[in-house]
Amino acid sequence: TGSTLYTETQSASTDAAGQFSIYLGAGTATLGTFANIPWANGNDKFLKVEMDAQGGANYQNMGTTQLVSVPFALAAKETGIIRASNGKLFQLIGTPNGPVLKCYPPNATANAGSDQLNLAGNSTNLSANHPDAGETGLWTIISGNGGVINQLNNPNSLFTKGADSIYSLVWSINGECGLSKDTVTISFKGLTMNVPCASITSVNYLGENYPTVQIGTQCWLAKNLNVGSMLNGSGNQTNNGSIEKYCYNDVASNCNVYGGLYQWAEAVQYENGANNSSSMFSPFANRVKGICPTGWHLPNDPEYCTLMKFLDTTINCSLSSITTSAGGKLKSTSSLWNSNVGANNSSGFSALPGGYRFISTNMFSDLGNMGMFWSTLENSGTTATRFTIYAGSTNLARVNWNKSTSLSVRCLLDTFCSVASAGPDQLNLLGTTATLSANVVSASETGSWFILSGNGATLSSPNNPSTLFTKGMDTSYTLVWSVNGACGMSRDTVFLRFPSPQATGCGMSVPYLGENYPTVQIGNQCWFTKNLNVGTMIPGNVEQTTNSTIEKYCYNNDSNLCATYGGLYQWGEAVQYQNGASNLTSPNSPFFGHVAGICPTGWHIPSESEFCSLGAFLDGSVDCSSFGFTGSDVGQKLKSASGLWVANSGTGGSNSSGFSALPSGLRASNFSFNSVGQRAFFGTSSENSSSDVIYFGFDFSQLDMAHSIDYKGNGFSYRCLKN
C-alpha cells in the first residue's frame, strides 16, 4: 500500500513445460531506477506481479509478496576487523552495490612523478614513489615505441627513448589492499642537432657545395662561405658589383680548406649604405642576404645568441666574454686546430680556425688558433660584432671589432623553425570542452594536434593551435602539438583534466534537522556550501559530551551567529564518538570508510585526504605532504566573496569554486571565542594524535589554504561531503 519505488515490464515465453523465468532489474524500467532502491531501510519492500498472457497491456494482478531476506544482503552490516599475518587489517562493509573489502593501512597511492617534457638527450631518470613494506611497484610503457626501462620495479629507474619522442608510462603499486596506478608523460626534444636540415640537406652555390646542419630551431651551412674573386691582401674590398674574398696568406688553396675572409661591408654587400668607416644611413630592418645564397642570410646578433643558448642555457649574451662549453660543441674535431681543447663538434657546426686579415698591417694572423665570424650588428661607424672560437679553450667571445678586419662568414636559412608549445596544462576544467592554446606556426610550417591518451574525444580543427577540444568518456587526456617544417618535427604535450561525472543530486539542497543545505560539485566531490548548524546550543565554557544529543557552540554564545556562520563542534562531538573516539583519545580501532558523525545519512565528515583532493583539484600544485600553507591561491577560490570577511586588498575571496567558506572563527579550549570575520577553521575526521585534530583553514590576509593541527577540544566548523 506504500509508494511505488520501481516498475518494469518484461516479455517472456514459456518453455515446453509451460514455465518461464525472468530476472528482476533486467526489464524495461517505466518508473524509478533499480540500482537506487533503498534496500537498507528495512523489510518494508513488497513485490507485486501483474501479467497479460496475450502480450498486451491488459494486466491482471497475480499477487503481492513481501521481500524478507535476499535483497537485504545488498545492505549487510559490517563484519568485525580481521588482522592478517602481514599486519594489514581487513573489514567487510556492505554498500548499495554489494559488499566491499576495506583494508588498512591502505596501499601506497601510486605517484608516477611529474611529467617530463622537452627533455634533451635520449634518457631520463623516472621519479615515482616507493611502495610500502609488503608491496611491489612495476613500470609499464603504454604508448611510444622502442623505449627501455632499465629496472621495471625501481621507482627511480633509468628510461631510455626509442624511435619515438613521446611516451606514456604507468607506475603500479600492488599489495594486499589492492592495486593503484598513475601515469606520467615523457617527451624528448623533437628538434635535434648534428643532422642535416630536414628539407635541405645541401646547397650548391656558385660552384661550391655546402652541407647543412640543423641545430635546435636553426638551419646552418656547415662550412664557411668560399665565394667571390680572390683579392690580394694588400688591397681593400670595394662596392664594385662583384664579390671579393681574401685567402689566408694569399694562398688560394687556403680558401678551399677554410673558406674566404671578408670585410664587414663586403659581407653585407653594402646594404643601406653599409661601409667600413661610417654608419649606415638606416639600421637593418630585415634579414641581410649579403653574400649568402638566395633563401639564406648572414646571422644577426640575436640569432648567434639563439645558437649558443641552445648549446648552453646558462649563456648571457649581453657579456663580451662568455665562459661556456658551447665552444667545444661548435669546433670541428679536425687536426687543423693547433690545440683543440674540449672539441667534440656535437652540434655539427664544424667550425674551423680560419684566422683573420688585420687592416692596420694587411697581414694575416691566427690560422689554426681562432675561428672568427661576422654578425650583421653594427656597433659604430667603424665596428661591428664578431663571435670568436678558440683553439685553447671551449670559450666563446662576443666582441666589437673593426669592420675593415676580414673574417669568416656563415649563412643561416631564412625559414623560421618553430619550437612546438602545446600551452599550459588545464587541470580544473568545467563542462565538457576546452580551448587549446598552442603556438602559431610560420607560413612555411604545419602544425597538428593528436590525442595521445584518453578515449572518445574530438578536435574541431586538428591543424588549428586554438582548436576546440570536446571530451569523450574519459576525464583525463594527453594531447600532442606537432610542428613540421624545414628543421624537422618539434612536439610538445599538454594534459587536460575534467571533473568526474557529477554526483547524483549535487547542486540540489539537502534538508536536515530543520535547516536547508545547498550543495556544489567541485571536481568529483559534492559538498555542502554552508557550515553545519545542527544540535542544541550549549555555553562556550561547557564541554560537549556523548549524551545522545548533538551539541553545538555559537560564537560568543549568540544563537544569531550560528544562523550566520554555523555551529562550532569539538572533534569528539563531530565524529559522534565513533569507535570510542574522544577529544583526549584515539578511536579504539581506526576509522574505516566514511565517518558520518553529525552529518545526515549519505554524507560524512571529510578526511584529511579528501580536503587535500579539494585543494589539488583547484590547483594541481597544492602540496599536503607537510603542515603549513599549501601554496597557490586555493584559499581565494574557496573563500566566499561575502563582506563578512575583513577587507584586505588582494587577498579576498573570489568563491570561484562555490565552496563559500565564511570566517566563522574558533571556540578555543580556554572557553574563549576568537577570529570571527578573519579566519575559518574546518575540522576533518583525521587525527594527528590522541589529542590533536588535522584541520584546514583560511585567513583574511592570505590567498592560500592552511593545513595544520590543533587541540581536539577546540570548537571547529564542519562541512559535509557526499558519500
Side-chain angles (χ1 to χ4, degrees):
T1 59
S3 60
T4 302
L5 299 177
Y6 176 74
T7 302
E8 69 177 19
T9 61
Q10 298 221 20
S11 296
S13 299
T14 60
D15 60 18
Q19 299 174 327
F20 66 89
S21 296
I22 60 174
Y23 294 91
L24 297 183
T28 301
T30 60
L31 176 68
T33 304
F34 189 79
N36 290 343
I37 298 174
W39 300 110
N41 289 357
N43 58 347
D44 59 349
K45 307 299 184 296
F46 294 80
L47 177 67
K48 180 180 181 180
V49 179
E50 299 175 298
M51 182 173 71
D52 182 350
Q54 304 305 314
N58 185 24
Y59 294 108
Q60 302 298 312
N61 189 352
M62 305 299 292
T64 300
T65 305
Q66 186 176 13
L67 300 175
V68 294
S69 58
V70 173
F72 299 106
L74 295 172
K77 297 301 181 182
E78 299 175 357
T79 68
I81 297 171
I82 304 167
R83 183 179 296 276
S85 59
N86 62 0
K88 295 280 187 181
L89 302 178
F90 295 90
Q91 186 177 34
L92 193 65
I93 297 175
T95 76
N97 297 316
V100 173
L101 188 66
K102 295 290 185 179
C103 182
Y104 183 86
N107 277 7
T109 301
N111 183 346
S114 301
D115 291 344
Q116 301 184 48
L117 308 178
N118 292 324
L119 296 170
N122 60 6
S123 64
T124 186
N125 285 312
L126 304 176
S127 57
N129 61 323
H130 285 265
D132 291 339
E135 300 170 350
T136 58
L138 178 67
W139 283 108
T140 308
I141 301 173
I142 59 172
S143 68
N145 297 311
V148 177
I149 300 170
N150 192 39
Q151 295 174 293
L152 294 178
N153 302 112
N154 182 355
N156 305 120
S157 178
L158 179 71
F159 174 75
T160 303
K161 72 182 290 292
D164 289 337
S165 58
I166 301 177
Y167 297 82
S168 287
L169 281 64
V170 171
W171 175 242
S172 304
I173 293 180
N174 202 358
E176 294 291 339
C177 286
L179 179 67
S180 176
K181 295 181 177 182
D182 189 35
T183 305
V184 65
T185 299
I186 308 291
S187 72
F188 296 85
K189 285 185 177 179
L191 296 178
T192 58
M193 61 181 181
N194 202 6
V195 294
C197 301
S199 60
I200 308 171
T201 57
S202 65
V203 176
N204 192 282
Y205 178 46
L206 298 179
E208 189 99 8
N209 196 57
Y210 296 88
T212 66
V213 63
Q214 180 184 323
I215 308 175
T217 62
Q218 299 173 322
C219 180
W220 291 84
L221 294 185
K223 70 177 187 179
N224 299 347
L225 269 183
N226 180 29
V227 294
S229 302
M230 176 177 161
L231 184 68
N232 190 283
S234 59
N236 285 321
Q237 297 165 347
T238 58
N239 184 11
N240 57 10
S242 297
I243 299 175
E244 297 171 324
K245 67 181 179 184
Y246 300 114
C247 296
Y248 195 91
N249 278 346
D250 297 326
V251 177
S253 60
N254 281 336
C255 274
N256 296 332
V257 175
Y258 299 99
L261 299 173
Y262 304 88
Q263 294 176 313
W264 184 78
E266 184 75 11
V268 301
Q269 279 294 283
Y270 309 97
E271 187 170 325
N272 291 5
N275 64 76
N276 297 325
S277 58
S278 61
S279 298
M280 299 180 288
F281 57 74
S282 64
F284 295 136
N286 301 304
R287 296 187 174 110
V288 179
K289 176 180 178 295
I291 59 175
C292 291
T294 300
W296 298 74
H297 64 277
L298 272 75
N300 59 29
D301 192 67
E303 288 171 328
Y304 265 119
C305 182
T306 297
L307 169 68
M308 294 188 297
K309 288 186 77 67
F310 180 80
L311 302 175
D312 184 350
T313 57
T314 66
I315 284 178
N316 183 350
C317 291
S318 65
L319 301 177
S320 59
S321 180
I322 304 170
T323 302
T324 173
S325 63
K329 296 174 182 178
L330 291 166
K331 286 193 292 184
S332 165
T333 55
S334 165
S335 59
L336 294 172
W337 289 91
N338 289 337
S339 174
N340 208 357
V341 173
N344 58 43
N345 198 31
S346 60
S347 69
F349 189 84
S350 304
L352 289 177
Y356 63 97
R357 169 193 173 267
F358 197 60
I359 181 61
S360 63
T361 60
N362 295 334
M363 298 293 292
F364 296 90
S365 179
D366 281 315
L367 187 73
N369 293 324
M370 300 169 67
M372 305 172 71
F373 302 90
W374 281 125
S375 86
T376 59
L377 177 62
E378 181 185 65
N379 292 289
S380 70
T382 58
T383 62
T385 299
R386 77 166 202 224
F387 287 83
T388 304
I389 303 171
Y390 302 94
S393 74
T394 59
N395 289 352
L396 292 169
R398 176 185 178 276
V399 180
N400 296 334
W401 204 247
N402 192 301
K403 293 178 183 177
S404 296
T405 306
S406 302
L407 309 179
S408 300
V409 169
R410 283 294 178 98
C411 296
L412 185 60
L413 185 66
D414 288 349
T415 303
F416 176 75
C417 300
S418 301
V419 177
S421 172
D425 290 343
Q426 301 184 50
L427 304 179
N428 304 319
L429 293 165
L430 300 176
T432 59
T433 62
T435 300
L436 304 179
S437 56
N439 59 318
V440 178
V441 301
S442 67
S444 61
E445 299 170 323
T446 57
S448 60
W449 286 104
F450 69 89
I451 300 170
L452 180 65
S453 65
N455 296 311
T458 58
L459 295 159
S460 62
S461 179
N463 299 111
N464 180 357
S466 303
T467 190
L468 182 70
F469 173 87
T470 302
K471 72 181 291 293
M473 62 194 75
D474 290 335
T475 57
S476 297
Y477 296 84
T478 301
L479 280 67
V480 176
W481 175 243
S482 299
V483 175
N484 205 354
C487 295
M489 180 174 286
S490 171
R491 293 178 174 179
D492 189 33
T493 306
V494 66
F495 184 70
L496 308 180
R497 185 173 66 206
F498 295 84
S500 297
Q502 182 164 311
T504 303
C506 201
M508 306 293 287
S509 292
V510 177
Y512 178 47
L513 297 180
E515 190 99 9
N516 203 45
Y517 294 90
T519 62
V520 65
Q521 183 83 24
I522 307 177
N524 61 6
Q525 298 175 324
C526 185
W527 290 85
F528 278 10
T529 64
K530 68 178 187 179
N531 299 347
L532 272 175
N533 182 29
V534 295
T536 302
M537 174 181 156
I538 64 172
N541 61 356
V542 176
E543 302 293 334
Q544 295 168 352
T545 58
T546 174
N547 57 7
S548 74
T549 298
I550 298 177
E551 297 170 326
K552 68 182 179 184
Y553 301 119
C554 294
Y555 196 91
N556 278 349
N557 298 315
D558 184 346
S559 61
N560 292 322
L561 293 181
C562 268
T564 301
Y565 295 105
L568 300 172
Y569 303 88
Q570 294 178 309
W571 186 75
E573 186 75 11
V575 301
Q576 280 294 282
Y577 311 98
Q578 184 172 322
N579 296 3
S582 78
N583 298 328
L584 296 173
T585 61
S586 297
N588 51 37
S589 61
F591 290 150
F592 286 94
H594 300 316
V595 179
I598 57 176
C599 289
T601 301
W603 298 76
H604 64 276
I605 303 293
S607 66
E608 175 190 26
S609 64
E610 287 171 327
F611 242 112
C612 282
S613 295
L614 170 66
F617 174 78
L618 297 173
D619 188 330
S621 68
V622 164
D623 181 10
C624 284
S625 60
S626 60
F627 293 122
F629 282 101
T630 56
S632 78
D633 60 350
V634 165
Q636 184 182 46
K637 295 173 181 176
L638 290 167
K639 286 190 291 187
S640 166
S642 164
L644 294 172
W645 286 92
V646 172
N648 198 44
S649 177
T651 57
S654 68
N655 200 31
S656 59
S657 68
F659 188 84
S660 304
L662 289 178
S664 43
L666 183 78
R667 180 267 189 188
S669 57
N670 64 359
F671 311 143
S672 67
F673 295 92
N674 60 71
S675 300
V676 76
Q678 296 181 325
R679 296 179 182 86
F681 302 83
F682 289 97
T684 71
S685 61
S686 305
E687 62 173 5
N688 185 65
S689 68
S690 60
S691 59
D692 290 324
V693 60
I694 297 173
Y695 77 89
F696 289 81
F698 308 99
D699 189 284
F700 76 102
S701 65
Q702 298 285 342
L703 287 172
D704 51 4
M705 176 172 70
H707 171 222
S708 191
I709 60 174
D710 209 337
Y711 177 54
K712 290 178 180 178
N714 290 336
F716 297 89
S717 299
Y718 281 88
R719 287 292 178 93
C720 295
L721 182 61
K722 189 163 186 175
N723 293 355

